[in-house]
Amino acid sequence: MKNILNFLCFFVSVFIFSQTKSVKKLPVKNPGKAAVKKAPAETKPNPDLVVIKQDLPVLIPKKKDGKFGYVNQNGKFIIQPEYHIAVFFYEDCNLLNSPNEKVRKFGTKDYATVEKDMISYRVDKTGKRVYQFKDADLGKCKFEEYKQQLYQAYIMNGFYGLIEKAKFVNPADYREFQIYPQYQYLFIMEGDDVSDPMIVVSHNDRFGVIDVHNKVVIPFEYSNIKRNFSWKLGKMFEVTKDGKNYYYVDADNKTY
């Protein structure tokens, strides 16, 4: 019996000792450094897209030798003139609501619509054509609620003035006019602020821009100012002095 107990004690000791021995490591072939994920490279801002005036677009359509391109706020061509049509960088609601989800991103304000050889494209701020318009991709625009205009033109004795529609009652009382009729022509530009719109007017056969207080914003030195969406989209006016060559000016009458 004693011999059996001694044998059992020896067996247990050997078993415990074998479990406490360190495990021999197997050699690893071609050990390499642990892969480290690189952080995505930061997109460096384009130094040519200078911002001098915060309320103006960084790229402005400009015509040269009969074709349109885009200049920056310093007047330098960033996208060379090669297009028949070029509009401001702005949202395209037809693409934003496209049935093709892959092209919806091209409807954002990071892109502009241009046309060359009767084909319309969206270009990015480097001038790269990133999308060609297809009828099948066009969705239905979801129009915002219409902002009722506070002011409207009023003609009296052949001259244009301005009234606030909600308050105007008696045209015989000059005090009810916001601007008493004195202009050959008057047009309220489409904009986001209906309480302070820009107003294209004509005086002595020349066009300029005034505000609702009859303060001159753009002097009367142009043969025409287009009544389009340039103020709403770009806070600019499309003007001409000779009736042929149009270009943009900002609210300080600076030419681009």
Side-chain angles (χ1 to χ4, degrees):
M1 185 68 178
K2 185 176 181 181
N3 291 336
I4 293 173
L5 289 174
N6 289 336
F7 175 78
L8 290 174
C9 290
F10 173 78
F11 178 81
V12 171
S13 298
V14 171
F15 177 79
I16 294 173
F17 178 76
S18 66
Q19 296 302 306
T20 58
K21 289 179 68 178
S22 60
V23 179
K24 186 178 181 180
K25 294 182 179 180
L26 296 174
V28 179
K29 294 183 179 180
N30 300 324
K33 295 182 180 179
V36 179
K37 292 184 178 180
K38 293 183 179 180
E42 293 184 2
T43 304
K44 294 182 179 180
N46 187 339
D48 285 327
L49 301 182
V50 294
V51 178
I52 300 173
K53 296 183 178 181
Q54 292 290 340
D55 58 339
L56 295 185
V58 293
L59 289 175
I60 301 162
K62 187 176 180 66
K63 194 174 187 179
K64 181 181 179 181
D65 298 330
K67 295 182 180 180
F68 284 96
Y70 291 85
V71 297
N72 63 13
Q73 291 189 12
N74 278 329
K76 175 185 176 182
F77 269 104
I78 304 301
I79 300 176
Q80 295 304 311
E82 59 174 304
Y83 297 104
H84 174 63
I85 294 174
V87 300
F88 287 102
F89 279 77
Y90 204 72
E91 291 181 350
D92 185 304
C93 63
N94 295 114
L95 289 180
L96 285 176
N97 295 284
S98 174
N100 183 354
E101 294 185 8
K102 293 182 179 180
V103 306
R104 290 177 187 172
K105 62 182 179 181
F106 300 125
T108 68
K109 62 182 178 180
D110 293 325
Y111 305 95
T113 298
V114 296
E115 183 181 296
K116 182 177 182 179
D117 298 328
M118 305 298 290
I119 300 174
S120 296
Y121 306 91
R122 292 286 273 180
V123 296
D124 63 18
K125 289 185 173 69
T126 68
K128 181 181 178 181
R129 298 174 197 165
V130 294
Y131 172 75
Q132 180 178 326
F133 277 87
K134 298 176 182 177
D135 290 341
D137 288 340
L138 303 183
K140 292 183 179 180
C141 293
K142 299 176 182 178
F143 294 104
E144 298 179 359
E145 184 179 351
Y146 175 71
K147 291 183 179 180
Q148 185 68 32
Q149 293 290 333
L150 295 180
Y151 301 97
Q152 73 176 34
Y154 190 91
I155 305 174
M156 188 171 70
N157 299 325
F159 290 96
Y160 287 76
L162 190 73
I163 62 171
E164 187 173 349
K165 292 184 290 184
K167 297 180 179 179
F168 189 79
V169 177
N170 183 13
D173 187 351
Y174 73 92
R175 294 171 299 181
E176 292 196 9
F177 287 92
Q178 181 69 27
I179 298 176
Y180 195 77
Q182 58 193 275
Y183 294 106
Q184 295 170 302
Y185 177 81
L186 184 149
F187 180 86
I188 302 170
M189 295 287 279
E190 182 74 21
D192 296 324
D193 187 356
V194 295
S195 66
D196 188 23
M198 292 290 99
I199 305 165
V200 175
V201 291
S202 176
H203 178 65
N204 291 333
D205 298 325
R206 306 302 289 176
F207 282 84
V209 177
I210 61 173
D211 65 13
V212 295
H213 305 293
N214 206 21
K215 177 184 176 182
V216 175
V217 178
I218 302 296
F220 296 88
E221 58 183 55
Y222 299 102
S223 65
N224 194 21
I225 298 177
K226 286 189 177 182
R227 276 75 76 191
N228 53 22
F229 289 96
S230 60
W231 176 252
K232 181 177 178 64
L233 301 184
K235 292 294 184 288
M236 308 189 83
F237 304 99
E238 194 171 1
V239 302
T240 181
K241 288 188 175 182
D242 60 9
K244 298 179 181 178
N245 299 300
Y246 283 85
Y247 52 92
Y248 288 102
V249 298
D250 63 19
D252 295 320
N253 202 32
K254 180 182 176 182
T255 299
Y256 294 87

